[in-house]
Amino acid sequence: MGESLDDFVQQLQDSIFQEMKETYGEMAYERWLNPRFMGGMENPDGYARVRGKCGDTMEIFLKFNGEKVADASFRTDGCGSSMICGSFAAEMCIGRDADELTEITGEAIMEKLGGLPEEEEHCAFLAAETVQEALGAYMIGHSKKTKRE
Ligand code: FES
């Protein structure tokens, strides 16, 4: 009995994994299995939390070193593709300056991860919007700091 339950669970897991791979493609599937850059960050220089129309939230954390992003991470309570998009969005932030961060759009995220099913494209736009909000928060904090100095 125990073994057949284990077999059933294994088959179920295999079929979910297979479906994910077929839906998202190899690169996004790998990222779904291993969502890099996931988690919060202490004292980020830029931070935003945005709720999408779907009701899910995305958070982006940015840490700058000089002009460029030295570290970035994300958190989401959303769907599998929001996790994939958040992970790619955070990765795309690293090494960019403020001007280059403005190039992170929903389209750019989708291009990076190899496309999304149409009904999930909004997840990429949510990640991009959150990056832009985090950048805005950084710019406000940065200009206040510059004025004080
Ligand atoms: Fe809400 Fe993907 S369905 S972020």
Side-chain angles (χ1 to χ4, degrees):
M1 182 72 186
E3 232 179 63
S4 63
L5 181 63
D6 286 350
D7 288 349
F8 172 73
V9 170
Q10 187 61 52
Q11 278 172 16
L12 190 64
Q13 188 176 326
D14 289 349
S15 80
I16 290 169
F17 282 17
Q18 188 57 35
E19 197 182 316
M20 283 302 286
K21 202 186 282 192
E22 282 164 14
T23 305
Y24 294 107
E26 191 73 36
M27 199 159 80
Y29 168 75
E30 290 299 329
R31 192 56 69 96
W32 176 71
L33 285 180
N34 176 26
R36 300 170 61 207
F37 312 106
M38 187 164 70
M41 184 188 288
E42 293 261 318
N43 304 317
D45 299 312
Y47 166 77
R49 182 174 189 269
V50 176
R51 184 183 296 273
K53 285 192 187 115
C54 59
D56 299 330
T57 58
M58 177 73 71
E59 292 173 278
I60 290 282
F61 303 80
L62 301 174
K63 178 66 87 182
F64 279 75
N65 184 3
E67 299 288 299
K68 298 199 172 197
V69 175
D71 197 11
S73 66
F74 80 99
R75 273 198 306 227
T76 183
D77 60 3
C79 61
S81 62
S82 71
M83 202 164 73
I84 296 165
C85 292
S87 179
F88 276 106
E91 178 179 312
M92 289 166 77
C93 290
I94 295 172
R96 292 191 187 212
D97 65 20
D99 272 354
E100 292 163 338
L101 285 174
T102 63
E103 293 162 12
I104 299 177
T105 60
E107 288 87 352
I109 292 170
M110 282 192 286
E111 193 180 326
K112 177 95 176 162
L113 63 82
L116 280 174
E118 201 181 325
E119 62 277 14
E120 292 178 29
E121 289 181 354
H122 69 274
C123 311
F125 287 92
L126 174 60
E129 186 185 344
T130 315
V131 167
Q132 299 312 318
E133 293 281 331
L135 171 61
Y138 163 73
M139 298 297 277
I140 290 167
H142 188 64
S143 80
K144 279 184 187 160
K145 204 171 136 198
T146 311
K147 274 185 196 152
R148 279 199 303 268
E149 287 166 359

